[in-house]
């Protein structure tokens, strides 16, 4: 209570104008674009650079004929449609006005929360805020004194405590190899923290079914990296992606943590130097406190880090290094075997179709992402970004009723990949 009051006071002092400025997304439109051939794809890449107000959603595959969604604010609707038409880019309106959907989902989540008795969260029953997730994490040592440890590795820009959970089987053996999972690097990808919480519950509450995953390995899980951005998606703007630290452009706030890491930072076209863009890399590598914290978590497990998995949405991908170059890393085939295990397990269980390969080849160049750092600097044995499936109106916005399907399917993949890592790299 004291802490949240203090937070509120800080907000009042720092942001007197934006407090309670809930963005309703009135008359925001969502279009589906269907590029055919290289010219259309180049046009989309160009538009995503030149039109910071057009929000190209999800993780779009830079290959032939795959469609993607874009969100357009009302004042840009006419010009965007003119642009699509004049370039003969196939487009289709999916949603004429996002506002009622955003409102309905917000109301649903608030209603669902009324029956939750914190800190006993029901992962499948609602989406939780950063402070609720911390409250849950802090409750775990009492229930599982031998198995879990909660550590705070630092603070976000707005001074939210960034917490990491370590799970073991409680046998007291030290320095086991580690599987490290992070979530919510991008604020609006709400299925990501839900997935991290679901993994925690499977390892603790469903231990008897998963004990082989903890026999010789420890798990380290950080459900929310971008705490400020995530909180902002609950209080102000549902589709916010970046951090909340101001930039050198007074009009534009926030940096993309997943372009801010210090391995080949800023390399070529893999990130943006424009603070108004969604892939803004920051002024320097690690100039965001949240990136520093995740970096320190990764470095803390250097030498033991056999599997680094970053949970994102959406697009159904397992993305391996490298993002910054067309070259493949030395252990690429070994990492592919792990992705194979995940992709096969999911298709057998639900017919869910994933694609996998290096980020550069499967998607497009990215530089300064967390998986490249985990491999290039921390020398993780396997480093991967997982893009969970789309759901909801926009892809990032599943209804509460979608959570169970998304997390149970994804757990089949994560579990199979962890088992493959444990089999391939015995302690
Ligand atoms: C993509 O389209 C180009 C021509 O536009 C074609 O040469 C190429 O084979 C296609 N690639 C795939 C993977 O379908
Ligand atoms: C426990 O794990 C098993 C194996 O993954 C699964 O079939 C079962 O549904 C899980 N139980 C719960 C309560 O999640
Ligand atoms: C990196 O890890 C691989 C195996 O995961 C190991 O063979 C190699 O020696 C490590 N390299 C360094 C520089 O630690
Ligand atoms: Zn993401």
């Amino acid at each position: 209570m004291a802490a949240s009051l203090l937070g509120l006071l800080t907000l009042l002092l720092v942001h007197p104008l934006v407090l309670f400025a809930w963005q309703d997304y009135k008359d925001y439109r969502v279009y589906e674009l269907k590029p055919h051939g290289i010219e259309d794809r180049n046009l989309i890449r160009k538009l995503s650079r030149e039109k910071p107000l057009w929000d190209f959603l999800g993780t779009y595959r830079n290959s032939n004929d795959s469609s993607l969604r874009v969100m357009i604010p009302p004042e840009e609707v006419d010009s965007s449609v003119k642009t699509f038409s004049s370039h003969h880019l196939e487009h289709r309106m999916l949603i004429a006005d996002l506002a009622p959907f955003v409102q309905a989902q917000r109301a649903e989540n608030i209603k669902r929360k009324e029956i939750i008795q914190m800190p006993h969260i029901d992962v499948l029953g609602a989406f939780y805020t950063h402070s609720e997730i911390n409250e849950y994490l802090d409750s775990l040592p009492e229930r599982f004194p031998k198995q879990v440890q909660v550590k705070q590795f630092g603070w976000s820009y707005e001074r939210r405590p960034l917490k990491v959970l370590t799970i073991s089987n409680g046998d007291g053996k030290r320095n086991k190899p580690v599987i490290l999972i992070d979530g919510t690097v991008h604020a609006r990808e709400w299925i990501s923290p839900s997935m991290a919480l679901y993994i925690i519950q499977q390892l603790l509450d469903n231990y008897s079914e998963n004990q082989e995953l903890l026999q010789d390995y420890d798990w380290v899980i950080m459900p929310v990296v971008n705490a400020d951005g995530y909180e902002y998606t609950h209080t102000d703007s549902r589709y916010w992606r970046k951090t909340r630290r101001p930039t050198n452009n007074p009009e534009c706030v926030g940096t993309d943590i997943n372009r801010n890491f210090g391995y080949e930072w800023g390399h070529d076209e893999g990130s943006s130097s424009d603070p108004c863009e969604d892939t803004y890399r920051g002024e320097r590598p690690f100039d965001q406190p949240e990136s520093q914290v995740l970096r320190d978590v990764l470095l803390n497990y250097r030498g033991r880090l056999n599997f680094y998995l970053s949970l994102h949405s959406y697009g159904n991908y397992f993305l391996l290094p490298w993002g910054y170059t067309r070259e493949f890393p030395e252990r690429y085939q070994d990492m592919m075997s792990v992705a194979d295990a995940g992709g096969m397990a999911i298709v057998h269980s639900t017919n869910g179709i994933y694609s996998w390969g290096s980020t550069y080849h499967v998607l497009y160049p990215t530089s300064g992402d967390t998986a490249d750092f985990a491999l290039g600097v921390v020398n993780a044995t396997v480093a991967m970004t997982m893009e969970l499936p789309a759901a909801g109106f926009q892809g990032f916005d599943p209804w509460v009723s979608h959570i169970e399907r998304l997390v149970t399917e994804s757990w089949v993949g994560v579990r199979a990949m962890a088992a493959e890592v444990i089999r391939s790299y015995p302690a």
Side-chain angles (χ1 to χ4, degrees):
M1 187 60 199
S4 61
L5 253 181
L6 193 65
L8 192 66
L9 284 173
T10 315
L11 267 173
L12 274 166
L13 292 172
V14 179
H15 306 287
L17 294 174
V18 300
L19 190 65
F20 307 127
W22 173 250
Q23 183 181 352
D24 61 7
Y25 292 94
K26 180 98 195 74
D27 296 327
Y28 274 61
R29 287 205 174 161
V30 179
Y31 288 92
E32 182 181 64
L33 307 179
K34 197 146 180 15
H36 298 287
I38 189 139
E39 270 179 34
D40 283 356
R41 279 179 280 130
N42 287 343
L43 172 67
I44 287 168
R45 294 212 69 193
K46 183 164 161 280
L47 293 174
S48 71
R49 279 196 299 271
E50 291 173 359
K51 307 282 186 187
L53 296 178
W54 304 10
D55 195 340
F56 290 85
L57 305 164
T59 305
Y60 144 68
R61 179 201 255 284
N62 192 15
S63 68
N64 298 357
D65 286 355
S66 66
S67 63
L68 73 157
R69 297 179 222 187
V70 59
M71 175 172 70
I72 310 280
E75 67 275 18
E76 303 263 328
V77 162
D78 288 345
S79 71
S80 69
V81 172
K82 271 193 200 118
T83 304
F84 302 150
S85 301
S86 69
H87 290 88
H88 305 289
L89 178 59
E90 189 181 330
H91 60 282
R92 179 167 78 94
M93 190 177 72
L94 293 181
I95 293 171
D97 178 9
L98 259 177
F101 300 108
V102 174
Q103 187 49 40
Q105 289 199 329
R106 185 174 158 81
E108 179 198 41
N109 202 43
I110 288 170
K111 195 160 166 45
R112 294 298 197 110
K113 291 279 191 65
E114 284 169 4
I115 55 168
I116 310 274
Q117 300 276 319
M118 291 300 297
H120 301 289
I121 64 173
D122 170 8
V123 176
L124 309 181
F127 295 100
Y128 297 89
T129 63
H130 174 250
S131 59
E132 287 165 342
I133 291 171
N134 274 355
E135 193 179 338
Y136 168 70
L137 296 179
D138 286 335
S139 77
L140 291 172
E142 198 172 308
R143 289 177 55 213
F144 303 96
K146 290 213 175 77
Q147 291 106 303
V148 310
Q149 245 189 316
V150 184
K151 289 187 215 163
Q152 186 183 330
F153 271 79
W155 303 86
S156 70
Y157 172 72
E158 290 171 352
R159 301 294 292 171
R160 293 189 171 86
L162 300 180
K163 299 197 178 188
V164 177
L165 185 72
T166 309
I167 305 178
S168 73
N169 65 355
D171 68 4
K173 286 206 194 107
R174 298 173 66 84
N175 296 320
K176 290 180 180 176
V178 160
I179 293 171
L180 195 159
I181 298 182
D182 70 40
T184 333
V185 161
H186 291 142
R188 63 191 174 187
E189 300 169 5
W190 278 18
I191 199 60
S192 170
S194 296
M195 183 62 202
L197 294 171
Y198 188 74
I199 294 171
I200 292 169
Q201 295 203 335
Q202 287 302 309
L203 295 174
L204 294 175
D205 297 315
N206 202 7
Y207 173 71
S208 59
E209 294 289 332
N210 295 305
Q211 48 185 313
E212 70 285 358
L213 301 175
L214 288 155
Q215 181 65 43
D216 297 317
Y217 271 60
D218 289 341
W219 291 56
V220 176
I221 301 176
M222 182 173 186
V224 183
V225 175
N226 183 4
D228 300 344
Y230 182 56
E231 217 55 18
Y232 192 71
T233 63
H234 282 269
T235 57
D236 286 68
S237 185
R238 175 63 186 84
Y239 300 115
W240 189 255
R241 166 183 166 102
K242 300 187 284 182
T243 62
R244 289 299 304 162
R245 188 170 180 252
T247 65
N248 57 24
N249 180 336
E251 306 264 297
C252 297
V253 171
T255 295
D256 184 349
I257 294 171
N258 208 28
R259 300 291 185 281
N260 188 235
F261 269 59
Y263 184 73
E264 299 293 339
W265 177 85
H267 190 99
D268 288 351
E269 296 265 284
S271 59
S272 173
S273 59
D274 179 350
C276 299
E277 284 193 30
D278 260 350
T279 56
Y280 177 52
R281 66 173 84 105
E283 277 178 56
R284 286 177 307 282
F286 297 118
D287 63 2
Q288 304 300 300
E290 301 82 4
S291 310
Q292 294 166 17
V293 169
L294 179 56
R295 171 197 66 193
D296 294 346
V297 175
L298 284 160
L299 289 173
N300 190 54
Y301 296 100
R302 193 180 209 155
R304 296 165 63 193
L305 185 53
N306 282 6
F307 188 18
Y308 166 65
L309 179 67
S310 189
L311 301 170
H312 288 249
S313 72
Y314 60 86
N316 289 53
Y317 298 106
F318 300 120
L319 301 171
L320 305 171
W322 301 114
Y324 81 96
T325 174
R326 60 171 57 253
E327 305 297 321
F328 294 98
E330 212 174 290
R331 293 193 300 274
Y332 184 69
Q333 282 312 326
D334 300 335
M335 289 194 260
M336 281 298 272
S337 310
V338 172
D340 290 346
M344 301 311 248
I346 288 179
V347 83
H348 284 140
S349 128
T350 59
N351 290 321
I353 307 288
Y354 270 69
S355 307
W356 54 98
S358 90
T359 305
Y360 188 100
H361 288 275
V362 174
L363 298 175
Y364 39 70
T366 60
S367 55
D369 73 31
T370 64
D372 276 10
F373 179 83
L375 181 65
V377 174
V378 190
N379 195 28
T381 312
V382 177
M384 181 187 291
T385 298
M386 179 172 178
E387 297 282 354
L388 273 63
F393 305 105
Q394 240 227 18
F396 300 118
D397 46 9
W399 290 95
V400 169
S401 60
H402 293 143
I403 298 175
E404 179 165 15
R405 171 172 62 79
L406 295 169
V407 300
T408 53
E409 176 187 278
S410 305
W411 172 240
V412 168
V414 171
R415 195 169 185 265
M417 292 195 287
E420 179 65 14
V421 167
I422 292 167
R423 193 188 65 75
S424 308
Y425 310 100

